[in-house]
Amino acid sequence: MRKLKGLVRKVIEGLKQLLIWLTPGLGIKRYFLLTVLGTTLVGVGLAMFLLQIYRTAPDNWLLPYISYLSLRFLNRPLRVLIFGGVGILFIIAGLWGMNRTLLAPFRKPGHPVAETLAGHRRRERGPRVVVIGGGHGLAMQLRGLKAHTHNLTAVVTVADDGGSSGQLRQSLGILPPGDIRNCLAALSNDEALLTQLFQYRFMDGGSLNGHSFGNLFIYALSEVTGSFEEAIAESGKVLSVYGRVLPATLHDVRLVADKVVPDVPGEIRVTGESKIPKTSGRVRRLWLEPHDPPAFPKAIRKILEADLIVVGPGSLYTSILPNLMVPDISNALRASKALKIFIVNLATQPGETDRYSCGDHVRVVKEHVGDLVFDIVVCNDTFEGTLPEGVEWVRPEVDFTENYTVYCADLADREKPWHHDSKKLARVLIDLLEERTGPLAS
């Protein structure tokens, strides 16, 4: 009896969904009826044609069927042509109208329906790409890659403890949402008003001063859904995100560093991601507390399924290494058969990578998490423009290309030459993947 009630309930719900299509003003019924009318006219024309052949065909009609059919049609084609031709025109007009009506909410102004659909299908069949990092470097990377594929996954550090994220983490005990928020905004299908609202930061001097709307939104959703992971997924739906944003771990981890300061004996221990670059000296050792946190299982699965894995660009010690020091993440990288690419920063970061070269970046990764065997190291080869005070170009050493497979290209943003250009970098990454796997589906 219970199964019967369930079946009846499903049938009623299905009928309700069908009746919604009869709502006035949808613009669907007229085109549907036009298509039905066209199909009817084509059917009538075909029936008249076959009926005429059946009535006038000779007894032994199988052998001369093709020639006789053609002759009868040529003798009296008018009615068949009228019904069939008008019917086909009605079908075309009806299907065209329904397509325009159904796609209207999803089509950008000025973009033809065919172009929009073709682009969507191309990106839907795009390569499976996983980008690992944090901060603005990761968001920039996603902004460029989303033009080539919808199968994007960002694995984001949760060691952030500064700004709005740090305040929410300290007062409410949630994982820092800042980097996740930036990635969701970058992956948004339409970075317009809603995305700008998501990135809006309150600066009124009140209790919300310094907080971003997106951080508060993610926190509120985590309370409603009861899950930080679910809150990220629902935020992505609100922003029309193609792709996934996943935390490297769901554990509350802290970033700790030992720094060597000139003229100061011993080492200085710095606790907190936001304090490390602000403390003078060179980072000697970095680790997470608690040690060896378990990775988020979905992040591991995406890494193992990927066609391309990109590490960087971003702050070496505070954005990239916190992900790789989660043991399951680095082990999954080693096990993955994807093309693995490490992106070297264009310029040094004060307090983290002062006077670092390209080789120094790769060396530091190897010292902290072992040899991850990157297939290609991508570097910038254009050093033009004025850098901010205290910032220097990151240049490849003479022997760097002898020890690693290196690809150098012009990757700099013209307006901010110490930042990567998202379109240039994405194009390079896709080209490198195509060299290995062949041209991607278009």
Side-chain angles (χ1 to χ4, degrees):
M1 191 66 179
R2 185 177 301 173
K3 291 183 178 180
L4 180 60
K5 288 182 178 179
L7 180 61
V8 171
R9 189 180 299 111
K10 289 182 179 179
V11 171
I12 294 174
E13 289 296 325
L15 290 175
K16 287 181 179 179
Q17 293 295 322
L18 288 175
L19 290 175
I20 292 177
W21 291 101
L22 300 179
T23 304
L26 289 182
I28 292 292
K29 297 185 295 297
R30 70 195 72 169
Y31 295 114
F32 176 74
L33 292 175
L34 190 63
T35 304
V36 171
L37 178 60
T39 304
T40 303
L41 291 176
V42 170
V44 170
L46 182 60
M48 292 172 61
F49 178 54
L50 295 177
L51 184 60
Q52 183 68 22
I53 295 300
Y54 176 77
R55 287 177 175 176
T56 57
D59 295 334
N60 187 19
W61 67 284
L62 288 176
L63 292 178
Y65 174 74
I66 296 177
S67 58
Y68 186 80
L69 188 73
S70 302
L71 289 174
R72 296 300 306 176
F73 176 72
L74 292 175
N75 287 336
R76 302 184 64 182
L78 186 58
R79 283 181 295 177
V80 174
L81 285 177
I82 290 176
F83 279 93
V86 174
I88 290 174
L89 290 176
F90 281 5
I91 292 174
I92 294 173
L95 293 176
W96 179 82
M98 282 196 292
N99 284 334
R100 286 189 61 86
T101 302
L102 293 172
L103 292 175
F106 314 102
R107 186 169 57 91
K108 294 181 180 180
H111 292 263
V113 173
E115 179 184 315
T116 302
L117 183 59
H120 175 80
R121 292 301 183 193
R122 174 178 56 82
R123 290 187 290 272
E124 196 176 51
R125 297 191 300 267
R128 294 165 294 185
V129 181
V130 174
V131 185
I132 301 175
H136 295 288
L138 181 58
M140 174 279 305
Q141 180 88 277
L142 297 173
R143 194 171 285 110
L145 284 171
K146 73 179 182 181
H148 299 274
T149 179
H150 285 164
N151 301 311
L152 271 172
T153 301
V155 178
V156 186
T157 175
V158 290
D160 186 10
D161 66 350
S164 172
S165 294
Q167 294 178 43
L168 292 174
R169 180 177 184 176
Q170 184 176 1
S171 60
L172 302 174
I174 69 166
L175 292 177
D179 285 349
I180 291 172
R181 182 198 78 241
N182 287 330
C183 291
L184 288 171
L187 282 174
S188 175
N189 188 42
D190 185 9
E191 296 187 60
L193 182 60
L194 189 58
T195 306
Q196 294 177 38
L197 175 64
F198 207 67
Q199 293 287 64
Y200 176 78
R201 193 174 296 275
F202 296 95
M203 302 299 291
D204 58 357
S207 59
L208 295 179
N209 187 56
H211 285 292
S212 73
F213 175 82
N215 287 356
L216 299 175
F217 184 82
I218 292 174
Y219 165 69
L221 265 182
S222 68
E223 290 290 300
V224 171
T225 62
S227 165
F228 186 74
E229 172 200 351
E230 189 67 23
I232 297 172
E234 292 300 322
S235 299
K237 293 178 182 178
V238 171
L239 295 176
S240 299
V241 163
Y242 289 111
R244 298 290 301 273
V245 180
L246 304 175
T249 177
L250 291 178
H251 281 236
D252 184 17
V253 294
R254 302 280 175 174
L255 199 59
V256 185
D258 283 339
K259 301 193 78 171
V260 178
V261 181
D263 302 326
V264 176
E267 298 171 345
I268 297 178
R269 180 154 297 177
V270 184
T271 301
E273 175 269 340
S274 61
K275 298 177 181 178
I276 292 173
K278 295 178 181 179
T279 305
S280 61
R282 177 177 57 84
V283 178
R284 182 178 177 273
R285 191 165 67 98
L286 188 79
W287 68 94
L288 292 173
E289 290 185 353
H291 294 284
D292 302 337
F296 185 40
K298 290 185 179 180
I300 298 300
R301 185 162 62 249
K302 289 295 183 180
I303 290 173
L304 295 176
E305 294 173 351
D307 300 312
L308 171 66
I309 299 174
V310 184
V311 178
S315 301
L316 179 61
Y317 288 99
T318 55
S319 291
I320 296 175
L321 282 176
N323 291 293
L324 302 180
M325 287 191 298
V326 177
D328 294 335
I329 296 290
S330 54
N331 290 335
L333 271 170
R334 294 186 184 95
S336 174
K337 296 181 180 180
L339 175 66
K340 306 177 189 74
I341 297 179
F342 182 80
I343 310 294
V344 178
N345 294 334
L346 272 67
T348 60
Q349 183 174 356
E352 288 200 36
T353 57
D354 298 282
R355 301 191 178 186
Y356 271 37
S357 64
C358 292
D360 290 330
H361 283 74
V362 181
R363 173 184 56 79
V364 167
V365 173
K366 186 175 182 179
E367 288 176 353
H368 285 82
V369 296
D371 192 357
L372 292 179
V373 193
F374 291 110
D375 297 300
I376 304 173
V377 178
V378 173
C379 303
N380 178 54
D381 63 0
T382 303
F383 309 103
E384 300 176 355
T386 304
L387 300 180
E389 185 178 355
V391 176
E392 301 173 345
W393 294 112
V394 175
R395 301 176 184 270
E397 306 92 318
V398 176
D399 61 344
F400 183 59
T401 56
E402 298 176 0
N403 300 323
Y404 300 95
T405 301
V406 180
Y407 183 88
C408 293
D410 176 12
L411 303 174
D413 188 309
R414 287 289 171 257
E415 296 182 1
K416 295 181 179 180
W418 60 96
H419 289 169
H420 284 87
D421 183 291
S422 61
K423 293 181 179 180
K424 291 181 183 179
L425 184 56
R427 185 68 264 171
V428 165
L429 294 173
I430 296 300
D431 287 345
L432 291 173
L433 179 61
E434 287 183 338
E435 285 184 12
R436 175 180 179 177
T437 62
L440 303 175
S442 58

